[in-house]
Amino acid sequence: MGFFLEALFGGLMAGMLYSLIALGFVLIYKASGVFNFAQGAMVLFAALAMARFSTWIPEWTGIESKTLANVIAFVLAMAVMVVVAWLIEKLALGRLVNQEGITLLMATLGIAYVLDGVGQTIFGSDIYSIDVGMPKEPMFLMEGVFPGGVLINQEDLVASLVAAALVIVLSLFFQKTPTGRALRAVADDHQAAQSIGIPLGRIWVIVWSVAGFAALVAGIIWGSKLGVQFSLSLVALKALPVVILGGLTSVPGAIIGGLVIGVGEKLSEIYLGPFFGGGIEIWFAYVLALMFLLVRPQGMFGEKIIDRV
C-alpha cells in the first residue's frame, strides 16, 4: 500500500506540472480559437531568459543576494514575455484577424521556430541551470503507518503546489473578471466581439502575456528539474494529451486531464510495464488521448461544437 501511495503521489505531482503547460494551450485557444503550437517554444524562451538574467544580474549590478537577483531576473523575464506578446500581436496575429483557423495555426507554428532561434541567439544554446531555492531533498511521510514511510520529492511537491495555485488564479481570472469574459467573447467570434467594442489587439496581447507568464513559471519549474536546454520545448508535447482529455476550452479540464495523465502513466509503468516490457510511461498518454479522440473529441469538459446550416 505504501508503494502504491508513493506512485500515486508522484503521478499527481507530475500531473500538476503537465497541467501548468497545458494551461498555456487552453488560454490561447480560449482567446483566439486556434491551437498554439508555439507554447513549447515559449516555455523554452522564458526559461532561457530567466536562467541568463539570474546569472547576468549579479554581474551587472554586484548584487550578492541570490534571492534578490532571482526576483529581478523574474521581473525582467516577465517583461520580455510581455514584449514578445506585443510583437506577436503586431507582427502576426493582428494582420490575420478573421482569417481561417488553419492560417492562425500555421502562424503559431512559425512563431515557435522564430522563438526557438531568437532565444538561442540572444541567450545562448548551452545547458543552463535555474536555482530558485526549491528543496531537492526527498522526505518520508506516514512512517508510522507504513514500513519505511512514503517517499516524496520535495521539489515536485513545491512545484505542484505552485502550479495548483496558478491554475486556480487563472481559472478565477477567466470566470470572474470582465477581461476574462472579453477573452471568451473574442474566442467565440472575432467580428462580433469587435462590433460591440472589444479591442481585439489589446485582448490578444493580454492573453499572450498571461500565457507567457504561465510559460515562465513552467519554464522555471522544469528548468530547475531538468536544466534549461533545447529539449525543454519538447516537454510541451506531454501537454497535448492533457488538453485532448480535458478539452481545449476548459481550464478545469487542463487540471483533471493533467492529473489523469500523470497518475495513469506512473501506475501503468509500474503495474503493466512488466507485462509489456516497460516504456509504457512514454506512450501511455498518447494512446489514451487517441482513445478519447475516437469517443469524445471535445474532451471531458470541452464544449461540443455544433455546426448549423
Side-chain angles (χ1 to χ4, degrees):
M1 187 61 181
F3 182 69
F4 171 80
L5 289 176
E6 190 174 300
L8 179 63
F9 290 153
L12 290 173
M13 289 185 288
M16 282 308 306
L17 299 184
Y18 294 154
S19 297
L20 183 58
I21 299 179
L23 196 60
F25 288 101
V26 173
L27 291 173
I28 299 298
Y29 191 85
K30 286 176 73 68
S32 63
V34 65
F35 192 83
N36 176 29
F37 264 109
Q39 190 62 30
M42 289 174 66
V43 172
L44 173 62
F45 191 90
L48 281 172
M50 179 66 190
R52 301 308 287 144
F53 281 137
S54 62
T55 301
W56 290 339
I57 292 300
E59 298 176 357
W60 294 343
T61 63
I63 293 176
E64 297 182 359
S65 172
K66 181 179 291 187
T67 301
L68 180 58
N70 283 332
V71 170
I72 297 174
F74 181 86
V75 173
L76 290 177
M78 187 60 233
V80 167
M81 297 310 293
V82 172
V83 172
V84 168
W86 182 80
L87 290 174
I88 288 173
E89 194 281 325
K90 290 297 181 182
L91 301 179
L93 297 184
R95 303 173 183 272
L96 298 174
V97 176
N98 299 321
Q99 296 297 314
E100 294 292 331
I102 187 63
T103 303
L104 293 171
L105 176 67
M106 295 306 295
T108 65
L109 187 59
I111 290 168
Y113 284 107
V114 170
L115 287 178
D116 278 341
V118 171
Q120 293 180 77
T121 299
I122 296 175
F123 301 114
S125 57
D126 292 334
I127 299 177
Y128 304 106
S129 61
I130 295 179
D131 183 8
V132 291
M134 294 176 63
K136 297 185 179 294
E137 299 79 14
M139 63 178 181
F140 293 89
L141 302 177
M142 296 183 285
E143 294 182 85
V145 180
F146 304 105
V150 177
L151 178 65
I152 298 293
N153 188 311
Q154 289 191 66
E155 184 178 28
D156 288 343
L157 179 60
V158 172
S160 62
L161 291 176
V162 171
L166 181 60
V167 168
I168 292 172
V169 169
L170 291 178
S171 297
L172 294 175
F173 169 75
F174 263 102
Q175 299 298 327
K176 304 297 182 181
T177 66
T179 302
R181 289 191 287 270
L183 293 175
R184 299 202 307 273
V186 169
D188 290 338
D189 193 315
H190 294 174
Q191 289 181 324
Q194 286 180 304
S195 68
I196 61 174
I198 296 177
L200 189 60
R202 183 170 66 86
I203 290 297
W204 273 353
V205 170
I206 290 174
V207 75
W208 277 82
S209 297
V210 174
F213 176 71
L216 177 57
V217 175
I220 291 173
I221 292 174
W222 283 103
S224 176
K225 288 169 59 68
L226 306 175
V228 181
Q229 51 189 312
F230 181 76
S231 62
L232 191 63
S233 62
L234 301 180
V235 173
L237 292 178
K238 271 295 182 72
L240 300 183
V242 173
V243 294
I244 291 174
L245 259 66
L248 274 170
T249 59
S250 174
V251 173
I255 306 171
I256 303 301
L259 296 179
V260 170
I261 293 295
V263 172
E265 65 181 17
K266 292 292 184 184
L267 296 181
S268 62
E269 180 67 30
I270 292 172
Y271 294 104
L272 298 180
F275 301 100
F276 291 90
I280 294 180
E281 191 172 357
I282 299 174
W283 53 260
F284 171 83
Y286 301 100
V287 172
L288 185 60
L290 178 61
M291 295 171 60
F292 257 81
L293 285 174
L294 296 174
V295 177
R296 188 177 172 84
Q298 71 271 24
M300 292 184 289
F301 300 96
E303 299 172 0
K304 189 172 184 179
I305 299 176
I306 301 176
D307 293 325
R308 294 180 174 85
V309 295

